[in-house]
Amino acid sequence: MMPRMRVEIITVGTELLLGQIVDTNSAWIGAALAEAGLDVLHISTVGDNAGRIVEQFRTAVGRADAVIVCGGLGPTQDDLTRDVIASVMGVDLVPNEAVAQRIREMFAARGRTMAQNNLRQALVPVGAELIPQQPGTAPGLICQIGDTVLYAVPGVPSEMREMVAGTVVPDLRRRAADRGEAAVVTSRVLRTWGLAESKLAELLQDRIDVLDRRAERLDPADGPVPTIAFLASGPEGIKVRLTVRAPDAEQAERALATEEAEVRSVIGRYVFGVDDQNMESVVLDLLRRQGWTLAAAESLTAGYVCGRLAAVPGASDVLRGGLVSYASEVKHDVLAVPEGPVVSEEAALAMARGAARLLRAETAVATTGVAGPDTQEDQPVGTVCLAAVTPDEERATTVRLPGGRENIRQLSVISVLDLLRRLLVEPPAT
């Protein structure tokens, strides 16, 4: 059996190495290839140096079936991709009059004078094909170098995406199909809160072992075999990614649905959403189904809870508003928190009740605690008291959150929203 097609991505530009521009292009291309069932084995970045670019291109061509080069197709002297491709192919660069005319027309349409160096972009290696899409002045290239196909696309994200989606991915899928590799790769992300990544991995280890054994057997009767991976995402929770490679979308969907059920049987109570859902959108949906509204009383988070809720489109039919009770006097005078410690579960509950009463909401959440840098009421930094109230139940808890001041505040938001979520989905305490 022929080995699976190996794809490599190279981004070109010294500005990427200096951190002046973040390389989002590789991530986008990688995701587009994965969705098409294509394996990316290497991603690399090289600066604007002809010798190093030649070395990188030759290395990639020598070990990959397909190489996608992104960047270095501009009009200036440090845009070297065309020259290097010609060198690696062992051919000359020749002007393409059709491309040159298209570039002239683009400048004329914008009412701008074209610099002569823009015609460098019309130089094409002998034997290279042009990518039909050309949204900017830089044409994309398809170059056959021995058994390897090399695609060159601009670094401008919008131009790159049009070419990759319009030509590169379809061409690679055709080549993969010719090798008998037609497939789709699909992922589903289960979003969790309440357990550390290491604990999730421990709980799911038996299931991962089962999948590993199935993958080693290579038995067609097993069908597509998913994989499980973990991604810690800070104030967004821990993501558990299920990925499967299958002959078609229908088989992939069945395998993912089966695996999601297996995973939920182990960690279901910690799963709050799937794929693009976040904690705030989930909570708003749950409240919307109940016909309930929401208020917030915030101390250390100082508006972060309401800010994240209000960022969800349509939140206005649920979110009544919030009160930032940063000073202890505001907690006592406005929210009717009893005199005494304000970093306590009792204070958090009183804050939530006060917010619900003042803003005429059926439910409310509250945060109070120590974000740092100093201790408060003899409580260490990271001590946070959270509360949530509904018409059916009230709940408060104290958590110890890690990191600096900003991290503690952000983690407090998802923690208090999860507390409310649990009130809404779990049976009332007896």
Side-chain angles (χ1 to χ4, degrees):
M1 179 183 292
M2 184 181 294
R4 293 220 316 240
M5 179 178 283
R6 300 157 299 179
V7 185
E8 184 155 343
I9 301 169
I10 302 173
T11 54
V12 179
T14 300
E15 66 276 9
L16 298 169
L17 296 176
L18 295 176
Q20 296 170 343
I21 295 178
V22 176
D23 176 21
T24 58
N25 284 345
S26 291
W28 190 91
I29 296 171
L33 294 175
E35 187 176 349
L38 299 161
D39 295 331
V40 177
L41 300 190
H42 297 276
I43 296 178
S44 58
T45 300
V46 61
D48 299 312
N49 176 281
R52 287 192 285 273
I53 298 175
V54 167
E55 179 183 2
Q56 195 72 27
F57 283 15
R58 284 181 173 158
T59 298
V61 167
R63 67 188 177 189
D65 300 298
V67 179
I68 302 173
V69 176
C70 184
L73 294 177
T76 60
Q77 291 84 349
D78 62 349
D79 290 306
L80 301 171
T81 295
R82 283 179 300 269
D83 306 77
V84 170
I85 291 174
S87 175
V88 173
M89 292 177 71
V91 300
D92 293 329
L93 281 170
V94 295
N96 184 298
E97 182 53 36
V99 173
Q101 184 59 28
R102 180 174 175 79
I103 295 172
R104 294 188 191 99
E105 290 171 356
M106 285 184 179
F107 276 91
R110 300 168 187 167
R112 296 169 58 188
T113 301
M114 185 192 75
Q116 279 301 114
N117 66 358
N118 275 102
L119 292 180
R120 292 187 71 246
Q121 295 178 290
L123 296 175
V124 177
V126 172
E129 297 178 43
L130 295 173
I131 290 176
Q133 297 80 17
Q134 190 185 335
T137 57
L141 305 172
I142 306 174
C143 310
Q144 193 68 41
I145 307 175
D147 294 329
T148 301
V149 60
L150 183 147
Y151 306 91
V153 296
V156 178
S158 60
E159 298 178 20
M160 174 276 294
R161 292 179 184 185
E162 185 170 337
M163 292 185 190
V164 169
T167 293
V168 176
V169 168
D171 190 55
L172 281 171
R173 292 195 72 164
R174 177 186 59 77
R175 293 170 185 267
D178 290 344
R179 296 162 58 107
E181 296 181 26
V184 296
V185 175
T186 306
S187 293
R188 182 171 302 170
V189 176
L190 305 183
R191 308 186 68 162
T192 74
W193 185 252
L195 289 179
E197 180 181 1
S198 56
K199 185 61 178 178
L200 285 170
E202 179 183 299
L203 291 173
L204 290 170
Q205 187 59 58
D206 288 346
R207 185 60 193 167
I208 293 171
D209 291 342
V210 169
L211 295 176
D212 286 345
R213 288 193 294 270
R214 283 177 55 192
E216 290 172 1
R217 284 201 303 266
L218 294 175
D219 186 346
D222 286 337
V225 181
T227 60
I228 299 175
F230 305 91
L231 177 62
S233 303
E236 297 299 324
I238 308 292
K239 298 175 182 177
V240 181
R241 188 183 69 238
L242 314 178
T243 303
V244 67
R245 181 187 180 95
D248 55 57
E250 184 178 350
Q251 292 186 58
E253 180 60 30
R254 283 202 304 268
L256 283 180
T258 299
E259 194 55 39
E260 179 180 353
E262 292 283 354
V263 170
R264 282 182 179 271
S265 71
V266 180
I267 61 166
R269 71 186 301 263
Y270 301 101
V271 175
F272 66 82
V274 178
D275 291 337
D276 293 332
Q277 291 179 311
N278 54 34
M279 184 68 79
E280 46 270 36
S281 69
V282 168
V283 167
L284 288 169
D285 283 342
L286 289 170
L287 290 170
R288 194 173 286 117
R289 289 176 208 155
Q290 292 282 354
W292 290 343
T293 56
L294 174 64
E298 303 185 56
S299 183
L300 81 159
T301 50
Y304 278 17
V305 173
C306 283
R308 281 183 57 167
L309 288 165
V312 178
S316 59
D317 63 346
V318 173
L319 179 62
R320 292 283 295 169
L323 298 166
V324 176
S325 53
Y326 211 65
S328 297
E329 293 81 1
V330 177
K331 297 180 180 69
H332 299 311
D333 298 342
V334 177
L335 293 172
V337 174
E339 292 294 331
V342 294
V343 183
S344 68
E345 294 178 13
E346 292 76 12
L349 274 173
M351 290 168 62
R353 295 179 191 126
R357 181 183 69 255
L358 292 171
L359 297 176
R360 299 192 299 279
E362 288 83 10
T363 68
V365 293
T367 63
T368 180
V370 188
D374 301 319
T375 60
Q376 183 180 345
E377 297 177 352
D378 295 325
Q379 297 288 349
V381 172
T383 302
V384 180
C385 299
L386 311 168
V389 298
T390 74
D392 301 325
E393 190 178 0
E394 297 180 345
R395 192 174 299 177
T397 188
T398 301
V399 294
R400 300 285 190 270
L401 300 176
R405 180 179 177 83
E406 183 63 17
N407 194 61
I408 291 168
R409 298 175 74 203
Q410 293 287 0
L411 294 179
S412 297
V413 175
I414 190 170
S415 297
V416 77
L417 291 177
D418 188 57
L419 181 64
L420 177 57
R421 180 188 72 85
R422 289 175 182 274
L423 277 184
L424 296 171
V425 300
E426 296 175 354
T430 57

